[in-house]
Amino acid sequence: MTACAAYVEREEDRLTELDSPIGDADHGGNLRRGFAAVTEALAAEQPATPGEVLTGAGRRLVSKVGGASGPLYGTLLRRTGKALGDTPQVSREELAEALATAVDAVAQLGGARQGDATMLDALYPAVEGLRTSYAAAAEAAEGGAAATEPLQARKGRASYLGERSIGHRDPGAASSALLFAALAEVAG
Ligand code: ADP
Ligand code: MG
């Protein structure tokens, strides 16, 4: 979570720039605010298990991020944490399993599917890649984010643009790739 917060802070402007032509130019700020709150909470609370870290972080994101990405990433982290339960040490395979459940919950919450040009286009490949390695997860997420460029957005603000959303990388897919890059750096 600390690495995620650092990556988001470093890439805030790029995420906001991606959210400018097809959104409302707040994605970088939304995530920076959310992850800053996560870092603050973790410093104060020191949760006992990885599952607790993630459920607490998810709750923070929901309460601090106003945009669509708050509840979506909040659900991702909370559901991953819940699936991990009180396991004291989490293997890569266990994390992949837990994330798979959580990504399905994100899809259900947002009513989106793979190919709709959302964060799911990075998250689904990331989870598949994670079954192999942390590096493979990060690479697959980046590939998934790049693959949103030729797609027309079907969900979220970008979908209001119809065909004019084609040719732009989805900001949420880009931030998902960033979070998996952070994970690969610290865990890989
Ligand atoms: P907002 O769109 O409310 O301004 P953000 O800019 O923070 O929120 O986040 C936008 C990102 O959220 C999009 O790029 C997309 O990846 C993701 N998103 C939006 N709506 C959905 C949805 N229904 N399902 C999945 N992801 C979504
Ligand atoms: Mg936005």
Side-chain angles (χ1 to χ4, degrees):
M1 287 298 103
T2 308
C4 286
Y7 273 54
V8 163
E9 195 174 326
R10 195 185 68 200
E11 301 284 324
E12 176 185 350
D13 291 349
R14 182 174 67 89
L15 295 176
T16 289
E17 275 161 31
L18 289 172
D19 196 30
S20 300
I22 56 167
D24 55 354
D26 64 354
H27 190 56
N30 280 344
L31 290 192
R32 192 209 5 92
R33 213 171 43 254
F35 276 97
V38 167
T39 309
E40 212 173 282
L42 285 174
E45 286 164 22
Q46 311 201 325
T49 60
E52 257 181 52
V53 169
L54 293 174
T55 46
R59 273 201 307 274
R60 285 283 153 159
L61 289 186
V62 172
S63 68
K64 291 287 172 184
V65 179
S69 59
L72 293 165
Y73 276 131
T75 294
L76 181 75
L77 298 186
R78 273 183 11 225
R79 291 299 289 262
T80 304
K82 207 174 143 195
L84 292 174
D86 53 12
T87 312
Q89 266 203 321
V90 175
S91 70
R92 177 173 49 72
E93 288 82 359
E94 286 169 328
L95 183 60
E97 190 88 4
L99 270 168
T101 319
V103 174
D104 284 340
V106 172
Q108 198 168 10
L109 177 66
R113 292 192 288 195
Q114 202 165 355
D116 285 346
T118 71
M119 57 173 69
L120 291 174
D121 289 359
L123 293 174
Y124 277 118
V127 169
E128 278 318 301
L130 194 57
R131 299 187 194 281
T132 306
S133 69
Y134 286 104
E139 203 172 305
E142 187 58 37
T148 62
E149 282 178 24
L151 298 178
Q152 179 173 335
R154 303 279 177 196
K155 289 288 168 188
R157 253 174 228 285
S159 67
Y160 307 158
L161 290 179
E163 287 183 358
R164 281 181 295 137
S165 66
I166 294 173
H168 298 281
R169 183 175 302 214
D170 177 67
S175 59
S176 290
L178 188 65
L179 300 180
F180 276 90
L183 177 65
E185 189 191 289
V186 296

